[in-house]
């Protein structure tokens, strides 16, 4: 690191001496103060054009010219042109912020034909604009995330970034109570239309929580501060094109409004979604007399289990969010915001809603050992919400931000099972409920002693507690309880507290070299309690190897470092390092056993430990007038990575979680954006290629007083993924979109996942001067979205395929009303400033939190 720093310092000094003098600045909207990208910047001498450029996504520009006197001309469609005389005299010149005023006459006379930018790049994050994506019409946030480079969403709604599910989902720069237990339900219910943009931050600075070894996906909600008001009304239908399953269509309706009245501005969104989906599953499991390997050894087969399932899901729910901001004085603002949801899911109720599995267990010679079916019917609800109160004070070079957040999410599910074997019918049920609550109190202070430097410090306190209970019964035919199934009783309580302090310092030298270092210290405490019932139904405090109470407390530090160099003419390079953590929580440590599949039972491991990762990235960014290229090399070394582990208990497979020794990833990530044919085509292409290694595992799992040895061989694979998004502008009111992606096979602790691919299509037409918009989307055109795995271990080899959704088509109508002109350049709250910021001569950061 020291050698690299020395080389970059020497390089910057040489380039500063040899290069022409850079003229830098930033172009913003006069009213909203938001950056204006793609503004034209010209350097004139008399009537002659010397050189020029366009502003980037931050509204910034850099132009290198020789010494002399010039006229700087800034222009953009719909704004009054600005001119400024400048003198370049042997050193860099920063002209500061240049504000453009809207030209109302031009706006009323000029008709702009073109597409807004769907994404832009920064060295420390990639930003994707949701409202430019046709697929967002009537969709959920989960569905729109499927079209984001480097992000994957599986059949159950679980989200991964760069092949890892150790990723945090934040809203407006804060966790907002989302965790692995509830975020799939929340994001499937949250309308994509409430999102302004999505930010991918793989290496956040020490200012932010180190939770999530792969990084953070930050959802920035729409919140425009403009004079007057505007809003929209939306309604849509979607239909699952499953065959032979026939289902009623899903539907969605929504309303949102933004307003500003003097010192108060606010927003409110409400929507209801009713969704339907059909899917299925296939499992081929071979029970072996020895240890399975990647290639099935038929000589070891003792029996063969075939399972086929058909499932249909129905659910509906309401999602609402709102907020108010009060400008108390010139330098201070008080804000209150929140969101809430209530969703219900119905599984297996009636002929149109069934979850049916059939099982066949045979010997190698074809002799049938068991042949039975198992039907499932369930009703559940997922209520929850989040509320935030924040205060901001900003004066001169000082800024103070204080906030308090409370979140509360629940889950309730009652499931009935009917199993038929040899003309005998067995009835069972399982009842589960859980509640997750949390608070966060934080204070952030920022000081800019010089225009090029910044010091940040703060304190962050979080407290989360979880309560859950589960039991199961054998039932009589009339639904009354016959007896309780004691092994499936679990009462579980968890509490965590975390105290964190941080400090970061950043500086910029010679307008070329940017450096930021940070350190975060956290004192983390966790308390777990659980109760089970013995064979007589008496509650007990512990198994022999499972104490009722388990307390953990430790202190850890998490450093971060960034070095960036701007070569000029659109070339940027950055090297960054962070240390991050993944603390197990929720179902990963909850001992509750789920027996929805009687041959495949899952439960949590209370002995799981935190997983730590060291992340190193080298990123390069090059921008042209209509093209952008982002390329990077990343390396992640993960100690104690948590993986799902399978083992056989008789003829039943059990699933739990285990800290494997180490996991490494070394890869490259390339993202290119091209604006072609006068913006009639925007093409975004992303590719990830990486080497993945999971070290050998030799451990023991203790469950209900029984020790199970786990011995796994090391796994290595070279894998990758490619995603292409093409947006077409056929006419000024008619546009289209094609999204395609491919993901190669990958390794897990006990096997591999197969390749996957999909294609989505979309069309949008606007009417009445863009007040009315009609969008048609086809999701999973090839009906190819599925999860396929090959796994093996002591006593088994298994292939499984799961499909939760089928090909679907949707039609969405949106009506916009109010102050449409003011809407075009509004301010969005919640931008995530993750690391290396640039600073201008006014002392303001070019990236706002």
């Amino acid at each position: 690191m020291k050698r690299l720093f020395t080389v970059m310092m020497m390089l910057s000094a040489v380039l500063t001496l040899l290069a022409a003098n850079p003229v830098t600045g930033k172009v913003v909207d006069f009213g909203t103060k938001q950056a204006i990208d793609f503004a034209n910047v010209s350097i004139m001498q008399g009537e002659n054009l010397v050189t020029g450029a366009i502003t980037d996504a931050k509204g910034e520009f850099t132009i290198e010219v020789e010494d002399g006197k010039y006229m700087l001309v800034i222009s953009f469609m719909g704004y009054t042109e600005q001119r400024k005389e400048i003198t370049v005299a042997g050193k860099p010149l920063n002209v500061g912020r240049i504000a453009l005023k809207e030209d109302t006459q031009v706006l009323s006379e000029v008709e702009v034909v073109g597409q807004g930018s769907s994404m832009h790049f920064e060295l420390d994050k990639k930003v994707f604009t949701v409202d430019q994506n046709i697929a967002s019409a009537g969709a959920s946030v989960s569905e729109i995330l499927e079209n984001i480079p480097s992000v994957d969403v599986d059949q159950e709604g679980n989200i991964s970034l760069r092949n890892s599910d150790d990723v945090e989902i934040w809203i407006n720069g804060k966790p907002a109570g989302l965790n692995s237990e509830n975020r799939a339900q929340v994001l499937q219910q949250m309308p994509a239309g409430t999102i302004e943009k999505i930010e991918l931050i793989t290496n956040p600075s020490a200012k932010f929580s180190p939770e999530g070894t792969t990084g953070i996906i930050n959802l920035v909600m729409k919140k425009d501060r403009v004079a007057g008001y505007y809003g929209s009304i939306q309604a849509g239908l979607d239909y699952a094109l499953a065959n032979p399953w026939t289902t009623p269509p899903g539907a969605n309706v929504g309303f949102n409004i933004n307003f500003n009245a003097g010192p108060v501005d606010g927003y409110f969104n409400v929507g209801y979604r009713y969704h339907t989906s059909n899917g299925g599953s296939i499992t081929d499991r071979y029970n072996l007399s020895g240890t399975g390997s990647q290639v099935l050894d038929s000589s070891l087969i003792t029996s063969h289990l075939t399972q086929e399932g058909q499932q249909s899901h129905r659910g509906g729910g309401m999602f609402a969010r709102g907020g108010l901001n009060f400008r108390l004085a010139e330098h201070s603002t008080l804000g209150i915001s929140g969101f809430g949801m209530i969703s219900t899911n119905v599984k297996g109720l009636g002929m149109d809603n069934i979850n049916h599995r059939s099982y066949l267990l045979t010997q190698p010679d074809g002799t049938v050992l068991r042949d039975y079916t198992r039907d499932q019917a369930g009703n559940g609800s997922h209520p929850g919400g989040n509320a935030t109160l924040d205060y901001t004070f900003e004066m001169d070079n000082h800024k103070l931000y204080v906030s308090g957040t409370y979140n509360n999410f629940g889950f309730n599910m009652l499931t009935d099972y009917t199993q038929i074997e040899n003309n005998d019918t067995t009835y069972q049920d399982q009842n589960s409920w859980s509640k997750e609550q949390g608070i966060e109190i934080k204070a952030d202070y920022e000081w800019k002693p010089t225009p090029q430097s910044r010091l940040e410090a703060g304190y962050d306190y979080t407290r989360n507690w979880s309560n859950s209970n589960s039991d199961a019964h054998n039932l009589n035919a009339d639904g009354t309880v016959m007896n309780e199934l004691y092994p499936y009783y679990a009462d579980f309580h968890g509490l965590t507290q975390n105290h964190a302090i941080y400090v970061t310092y950043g500086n910029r030298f010679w307008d070329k070299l940017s450096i930021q270092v940070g350190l975060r210290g956290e004192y983390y405490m966790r308390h777990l309690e659980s109760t089970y019932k013995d064979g007589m139904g008496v509650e007990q405090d512990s198994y022999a190897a499972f104490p009722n109470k388990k307390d953990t407390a430790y202190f850890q530090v998490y450093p971060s470092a960034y070095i960036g160099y701007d070569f000029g003419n659109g070339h940027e390079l950055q090297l960054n390092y962070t240390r991050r953590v993944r603390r197990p929580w929720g179902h990963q440590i909850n001992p509750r056993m789920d027996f929805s599949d009687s041959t495949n039972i899952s439960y949590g491991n209370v002995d799981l430990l935190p997983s730590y990762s060291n992340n190193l990235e080298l990123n390069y960014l090059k921008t042209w007038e209509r093209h952008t290229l982002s390329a990077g090399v990343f390396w992640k070394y993960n100690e104690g990575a948590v993986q799902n582990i399978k083992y056989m208990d008789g003829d039943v497979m059990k699933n739990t979680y285990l800290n494997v020794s180490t996991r490494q990833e070394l890869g490259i990530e390339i993202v290119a954006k091209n604006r072609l044919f006068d913006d009639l085509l925007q093409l975004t292409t992303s590719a990830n290629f990486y080497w993945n290694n999971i070290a050998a595992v030799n451990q023991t799992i203790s469950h209900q007083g029984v020790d199970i040895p786990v011995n796994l061989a090391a796994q290595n694979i070279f894998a990758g993924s490619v995603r292409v998004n093409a947006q077409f502008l056929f006419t000024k009111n008619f546009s289209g979109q094609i999204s395609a992606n491919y993901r190669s096979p990958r390794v897990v602790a006990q096997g591999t996942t197969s390749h996957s691919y999909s294609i989505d299509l979309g069309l949008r037409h606007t009417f009445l001067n863009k007040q009315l918009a009609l969008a048609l989307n086809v999701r999973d055109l090839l009906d190819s979205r599925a999860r396929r795995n090959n796994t093996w271990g002591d006593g088994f080899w298994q292939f499984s395929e799961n499909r939760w959704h089928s090909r679907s088509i949707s039609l969405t109508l949106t009506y916009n009303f109010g102050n449409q002109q003011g809407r075009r350049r509004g301010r969005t709250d919640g931008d995530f400033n993750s690391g290396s910021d640039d600073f201008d001569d006014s002392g303001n950061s070019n990236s706002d939190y």
Side-chain angles (χ1 to χ4, degrees):
M1 185 69 74
K2 290 182 178 179
R3 292 181 178 178
L4 177 62
F5 177 78
T6 303
V7 170
M8 295 190 71
M9 291 281 285
M10 294 174 63
L11 178 61
S12 66
V14 172
L15 291 177
T16 303
L17 292 173
L18 297 179
N21 300 308
V23 177
T24 59
K26 181 173 184 176
V27 181
V28 300
D29 182 286
F30 180 83
T32 67
K33 308 304 180 187
Q34 185 173 346
I36 299 177
D37 54 353
F38 295 101
N40 297 307
V41 183
S42 303
I43 300 290
M44 309 287 294
Q45 277 190 330
E47 298 298 321
N48 299 320
L49 174 65
V50 177
T51 185
I54 62 170
T55 57
D56 62 15
K58 296 181 181 179
E60 299 171 0
F61 63 87
T62 300
I63 304 177
E64 294 188 353
V65 295
E66 302 294 333
D67 291 355
K69 293 185 177 181
Y70 303 94
M71 179 65 70
L72 178 66
V73 182
I74 311 292
S75 62
F76 187 70
M77 180 69 70
Y79 288 84
T80 303
E81 181 181 275
Q82 288 277 12
R83 289 175 171 260
K84 182 177 182 178
E85 292 185 353
I86 61 173
T87 300
V88 180
K91 63 179 182 179
L93 174 64
N94 190 316
V95 298
R97 298 194 180 204
I98 299 175
L100 298 184
K101 294 183 178 181
E102 290 184 344
D103 189 330
T104 55
Q105 181 177 357
V106 172
L107 284 173
S108 63
E109 295 175 354
V110 176
E111 186 174 53
V112 179
V113 179
Q115 300 187 78
S117 176
S118 61
M119 65 182 295
H120 68 267
F121 305 94
E122 299 172 25
L123 279 173
D124 52 1
K125 64 181 174 182
K126 297 176 179 65
V127 183
F128 303 88
T129 304
V130 172
D131 59 5
Q132 295 295 328
N133 194 313
I134 296 175
S136 66
S140 68
V141 173
S142 285
E143 290 168 336
I144 204 66
L145 282 171
E146 294 177 359
N147 292 314
I148 302 299
S150 304
V151 177
D152 288 286
V153 183
D154 71 10
Q155 297 293 305
E156 290 86 1
N158 300 311
I159 297 168
S160 61
L161 175 64
R162 286 183 177 172
N163 191 41
S164 173
D165 59 3
D166 286 348
V167 59
E168 288 293 287
I169 310 296
W170 284 14
I171 296 177
N172 288 344
K174 295 182 286 292
L178 300 188
N179 56 43
S180 59
E181 297 303 292
N182 58 42
R183 68 190 186 195
Q185 290 80 22
V186 173
L187 299 182
Q188 287 170 347
Q189 193 62 37
M190 184 184 296
T194 63
I195 305 296
E196 176 72 20
K197 55 189 176 183
I198 298 171
E199 300 176 334
L200 303 186
I201 311 100
T202 52
N203 263 359
S205 75
K207 176 179 179 179
F208 302 97
S209 169
E211 189 73 35
T213 61
T214 307
I216 295 169
I217 300 175
N218 185 39
L219 309 177
V220 181
M221 311 296 279
K222 289 181 178 178
K223 185 180 178 183
D224 297 336
R225 294 175 177 174
V226 295
Y229 72 96
Y230 79 87
S232 66
I233 302 172
Q234 186 178 87
L237 293 173
D238 61 84
Y239 190 78
L241 304 176
N243 187 24
W245 298 87
T246 57
T247 59
N252 67 88
V253 293
F255 169 80
N256 80 83
I257 188 169
N258 294 256
F259 60 89
N260 179 286
V264 180
D265 57 71
Y267 59 92
F268 176 72
N269 314 113
V270 62
Y272 177 83
R273 292 175 57 82
Y274 175 76
H275 56 85
T276 64
S277 65
N278 300 291
S281 63
I282 299 173
T283 300
D284 274 316
R285 181 192 305 157
Y286 296 89
N287 298 321
L288 308 177
S289 59
T291 300
S293 60
Q294 186 168 2
V295 178
L296 175 63
D297 185 348
S298 59
S299 67
L300 300 177
I301 298 175
T302 59
S303 61
H304 176 208
L305 175 68
T306 301
Q307 181 259 97
E308 294 184 3
Q310 296 169 326
Q311 54 196 14
S312 183
H313 298 264
R314 308 287 179 272
M318 180 175 292
F319 182 92
R321 62 179 289 266
L324 291 171
N325 284 279
F326 306 90
R327 289 179 287 279
L328 305 178
E330 180 181 357
H331 303 289
S332 60
T333 303
L334 180 68
I336 182 171
S337 61
F339 69 84
M341 57 169 280
I342 175 67
S343 64
T344 58
N345 290 289
V346 181
K347 300 180 182 179
L349 183 61
M351 293 303 294
D352 291 332
N353 264 336
I354 63 175
N355 194 330
H356 174 80
R357 292 187 177 99
S358 61
Y359 300 84
L360 180 64
L361 181 65
T362 61
Q363 291 181 335
D365 62 3
T367 302
V368 176
L369 300 176
R370 294 188 67 185
D371 185 358
Y372 63 99
T373 61
R374 186 175 176 87
D375 293 334
Q376 171 182 331
N379 293 278
S381 62
H382 303 271
N386 168 278
T388 299
L389 180 68
D390 60 76
Y391 173 78
T392 303
F393 177 83
E394 189 169 5
M395 178 180 289
D396 299 328
N397 298 325
H398 302 271
K399 181 178 180 180
L400 177 65
Y401 175 82
V402 181
S403 67
T405 301
Y406 170 75
N407 58 78
N408 189 328
F409 292 93
F411 169 81
N412 303 281
M413 178 64 72
L414 175 61
T415 308
D416 294 320
Y417 301 97
T418 303
Q419 184 167 309
I420 302 176
E421 183 175 5
N422 297 327
N423 295 322
D424 291 331
T425 302
T426 302
Y427 303 95
Q428 296 174 321
D429 72 3
Q430 186 168 32
N431 182 30
S432 301
W433 69 266
S434 65
K435 176 172 284 190
E436 301 259 351
Q437 299 179 80
I439 60 172
E440 180 181 23
I441 300 172
K442 64 181 302 186
D444 300 306
Y445 170 73
E446 178 183 305
W447 174 44
K448 297 175 182 174
T450 69
Q452 292 78 30
S453 62
R454 181 176 63 186
L455 178 68
E456 295 176 304
Y459 169 77
D460 189 358
Y461 170 74
T462 58
R463 178 187 177 97
N464 296 287
W465 54 100
S466 171
N467 299 287
S468 67
N469 183 274
S470 177
D471 55 24
H473 307 86
N474 284 320
L475 305 177
N476 297 305
D478 61 1
T480 58
V481 174
M482 179 186 302
N483 60 275
E484 184 174 355
L485 299 171
Y486 299 127
Y488 296 96
Y489 174 87
D491 189 62
F492 182 72
H493 307 275
L495 170 66
T496 67
Q497 295 186 75
N498 190 53
H499 297 268
I501 56 173
Y502 74 87
V503 61
T504 69
Y505 175 76
N507 209 332
R508 186 173 176 87
F509 305 93
W510 311 295
D511 282 333
K512 294 288 186 180
L513 180 66
S514 297
I515 297 176
Q516 186 187 69
V517 293
L519 186 66
R520 185 182 183 95
E522 293 194 348
Y523 181 67
Y524 179 81
M525 296 168 285
R526 187 181 74 176
H527 173 77
L528 305 178
E529 290 188 16
S530 59
T531 305
Y532 84 104
K533 290 183 177 180
D534 63 16
M536 301 299 293
V538 179
E539 292 189 356
Q540 302 291 332
D541 286 341
S542 66
Y543 292 110
F546 182 26
N548 172 260
K549 297 181 179 181
K550 206 172 188 68
D551 292 296
T552 305
Y554 53 86
F555 177 80
Q556 290 283 337
V557 294
Y558 304 94
S560 65
Y562 299 80
I563 300 176
Y565 191 84
D566 186 351
F567 295 91
N569 295 322
H571 295 271
E572 297 179 66
L573 189 69
Q574 185 193 69
L575 178 69
N576 58 63
Y577 164 81
T578 60
R579 181 175 187 257
R580 302 188 61 78
V581 64
R582 184 64 164 182
R583 303 179 180 104
W585 189 245
H587 70 281
Q588 290 186 337
I589 58 174
N590 191 332
R592 169 189 179 269
M593 291 197 295
D594 179 6
F595 72 158
S596 56
D597 181 350
S598 59
T599 68
N600 193 0
I601 295 174
S602 61
Y603 65 92
N605 180 7
V606 74
D607 293 317
L608 281 181
L609 300 174
S611 171
Y612 297 95
S613 72
N614 292 279
N615 303 290
L616 188 67
E617 290 190 24
L618 179 65
N619 296 310
Y620 169 75
L621 180 64
K622 168 61 179 173
T623 56
W624 295 270
E625 182 176 353
R626 294 187 176 275
H627 309 280
T628 305
L629 174 66
S630 171
V633 178
F634 61 90
W635 174 72
K636 182 171 79 170
Y637 183 81
N638 199 178
E639 299 175 277
V642 176
Q643 292 282 292
N644 181 261
I645 299 297
K646 306 176 187 295
Y647 65 92
M648 298 301 298
D649 184 2
D651 290 332
V652 176
M653 174 173 284
K654 291 190 175 179
N655 297 259
T656 189
Y657 297 89
L658 188 68
N659 292 102
V660 300
S661 51
T662 61
R663 178 169 183 158
Q664 295 187 70
E665 286 188 6
L666 175 65
I668 59 174
E669 182 179 62
I670 300 172
V671 185
K673 183 180 73 172
N674 301 281
R675 302 167 70 97
L676 307 171
F677 312 116
D678 293 327
D679 284 351
L680 298 182
L681 170 63
Q682 283 194 34
L683 188 65
T684 302
T685 306
S686 64
N688 280 272
F689 302 100
Y690 51 87
W691 167 76
N692 194 330
N693 167 263
I694 300 177
V697 177
N698 296 283
Q699 296 186 33
T700 299
I701 298 175
S702 296
H703 183 235
Q704 296 185 348
V706 179
D707 291 338
I708 302 101
V710 177
N711 301 295
L712 307 177
Q715 290 273 74
N716 292 275
I717 198 171
F718 181 79
S721 62
V722 177
R723 193 186 303 263
V724 178
N725 180 277
Q727 294 178 300
F728 304 90
L729 187 65
F730 304 116
T731 70
K732 68 179 186 299
N733 294 319
F734 185 36
S735 57
Q737 177 175 293
I738 300 176
S739 299
N741 74 83
Y742 171 82
R743 191 176 182 185
S744 73
R746 303 170 308 282
V747 295
V748 292
Q750 285 178 287
T752 60
T753 61
S754 300
H755 72 279
S756 60
Y757 57 92
S758 64
I759 296 178
D760 297 335
L761 301 178
L763 295 171
R764 177 166 57 194
H765 200 292
T766 60
F767 309 88
L768 304 177
N769 196 26
K770 298 189 177 182
Q771 281 190 295
L772 191 66
L774 183 65
L776 175 70
N777 282 283
V778 179
R779 185 170 178 263
D780 197 9
L781 178 68
L782 305 179
D783 202 20
S784 57
R785 280 192 172 99
R787 184 179 63 188
R788 302 175 181 89
N789 297 313
N790 289 325
T791 54
W792 53 85
D794 291 337
F796 74 93
W797 187 97
Q798 176 176 284
F799 166 79
S800 62
E801 176 181 319
N802 289 278
R803 184 191 302 270
W804 277 46
H805 305 282
S806 61
R807 178 173 44 230
S808 64
I809 185 171
S810 66
L811 188 67
T812 305
L813 185 67
T814 303
Y815 175 73
N816 300 302
F817 61 87
N819 184 359
Q820 295 300 305
Q821 176 181 315
R823 180 185 180 187
R824 185 170 52 83
R825 287 271 173 200
R827 173 184 170 186
T828 303
D829 281 2
D831 292 353
F832 193 105
N833 174 15
S834 61
S836 55
D837 291 331
D838 299 329
F839 302 91
D840 58 32
D841 281 346
S842 64
N844 294 314
S845 169
N846 290 333
S847 181
D848 298 326
Y849 172 67

